Amino acid sequence: MVAPFRDSETFSVTVSEDHELFRRSVREFLERDVMPYVEKGEREGTIPEEVLQSINQMGLTGISIPKEYGGQGGDMLSTVILTEEITRVWPSLAARLGIVSLFSIPILLHGTEEQKKRYIPPVAKGEKTPALANTEPTGGSDVAGMKSLAKRINDHYVINGRKIFITNGGIADYYVVTARTSPPGDKRWKGISMFIVEREMPGVKVVGRIETMGLKSSNTAELAFEEVKVPAENLIGEEGMGFMYAMETFDGSRPGVAAQGLGVAQAAVEKMASYAIQRSAFDAPLISYQMVQEKIAESLTEISAARLLTYWAATLHDKGRKDEAIIASSMAKYFATEVAEKIVLRAISIHGGYGVTTSTGVERLLRDIEIMKIYEGANDIQKLVIIRETARRLLGIKM
Ligand SMILES: Cc1cc2nc3c(=O)[nH]c(=O)nc-3n(C[C@H](O)[C@H](O)[C@H](O)COP(=O)(O)OP(=O)(O)OC[C@H]3O[C@@H](n4cnc5c(N)ncnc54)[C@H](O)[C@@H]3O)c2cc1C
């Protein structure tokens, strides 16, 4: 055993020629059809309809969704490569599209056939916008401590509660919402359930958009659910199992956030290298100075390590090695986003004064990466997952 993993073979990463061809075609498309919209979109806080339409036409919105539900049936590695490439060009767009997986995973894993047929295809095709409403004003890391309530009355549930920091919150058509259906029993996590809620259901309210330091074109909102009557058939899976479904959802989506970190890091490395080549100081290009070379060398090393971790986590998911994939995904999420932050700081430093101006697009990467370190489980929480899962696998103890 290569603690906490089974054996050396666990560390193999399976990237095919098709994955690389896919990356190249996506990069070409994004640079041609999406890049021109980034600056204006970030200024105005929106992603223009024409960008979303071109993404849909390329079939990229539902890359991770099975073909039978309107998606492309891509593996996790393809999703990761796509996310990395989109983030390299426009992190806010990656944040918006990442919610397709967050919304779909619990329905695909635990939903009824009717729920899958009704809610997944329009989301996979980009006709409807999804959101996952889990975090509450009183706490996001401690999902079991949530306060929202759902009370069963005959053939429906009535949901009351507040959710905060919800990506796509103000523009979504469909929400997956967590709420407590019974008090915690012997375990704090018990008694939470998961529902599909439609925006048009009376009592669903967008309290307001939340301005964030980065991901400016991604719509982040606070929501209120006031006496929202949801048909009982919109319960996902079993009543009381929503916490487990939420954890499974994050396990499946974390390689995507790691890939967002990679995309930011890649953009920063490219910017720092090209600036170091073209900018001169003391009659020589910056790249000729060893302290600048060191920053680039360290960045190239760290991004490569982060990429290996991220592709490896995706490979473990694709191989169905669930327990190991959970640990690897948390490692990849925290490592890739922390490395990206370091690389962006070096890129800013190499750009000198221009690094802190808004015109070069380098400072935006720093604002964006700070959010990626927090959402879908703050990096401290990723470290808790790594240590807890390891203790469970190696020592058989619960921490
Ligand atoms: C832009 C943005 C978009 C988001 N999108 C969504 C979304 O679409 N859907 C959704 O449901 N949520 C979303 N979130 C919420 C996000 O997942 C939470 O912000 C995150 O999980 C942290 O929760 P919190 O903000 O309540 O911080 P808290 O849980 O209050 O934690 C605060 C700090 O304490 C640390 N901490 C907490 N507990 C521990 C512990 N046991 N040990 C060590 N450290 C600990 C955390 O790591 C963090 O650094 C989004 C957040 C942002 C900023």
Side-chain angles (χ1 to χ4, degrees), residues 221-242:
E222 181 170 2
L223 306 171
F225 297 87
E226 293 172 2
E227 298 289 314
V228 180
K229 216 172 145 183
V230 179
E233 61 259 28
N234 280 27
L235 171 74
I236 300 174
E238 269 180 62
E239 196 182 281
M241 290 299 290

Side-chain angles (χ1 to χ4, degrees), residues 285-313:
L286 291 179
I287 192 98
S288 64
Y289 297 112
Q290 287 186 348
M291 274 187 269
V292 173
Q293 292 169 8
E294 181 188 47
K295 287 187 178 71
I296 299 173
E298 285 176 352
S299 300
L300 290 171
T301 307
E302 286 165 3
I303 193 177
S304 301
R307 185 169 283 118
L308 278 170
L309 261 183
T310 306
Y311 289 7
W312 169 59

Side-chain angles (χ1 to χ4, degrees), residues 20-91:
E20 188 47 34
L21 285 173
F22 176 62
R23 178 201 297 284
R24 279 190 213 161
S25 71
V26 163
R27 183 175 287 200
E28 196 183 306
F29 157 72
L30 289 164
E31 288 185 347
R32 188 189 59 230
D33 292 351
V34 175
M35 210 177 248
Y37 293 91
V38 177
E39 272 189 37
K40 186 164 178 278
E42 285 291 295
R43 255 195 329 271
E44 295 177 355
T46 55
I47 294 162
E49 205 45 44
E50 52 262 53
V51 169
L52 296 170
Q53 269 173 22
S54 61
I55 295 269
N56 288 337
Q57 276 159 12
M58 289 283 289
L60 300 177
T61 309
I63 180 87
S64 60
I65 308 292
K67 285 187 176 155
E68 57 190 303
Y69 300 114
Q72 302 302 314
D75 57 8
M76 179 77 85
L77 195 52
S78 305
T79 308
V80 155
I81 289 171
L82 174 63
T83 306
E84 181 186 346
E85 290 300 321
I86 293 177
T87 314
R88 173 179 167 273
V89 170
W90 198 354

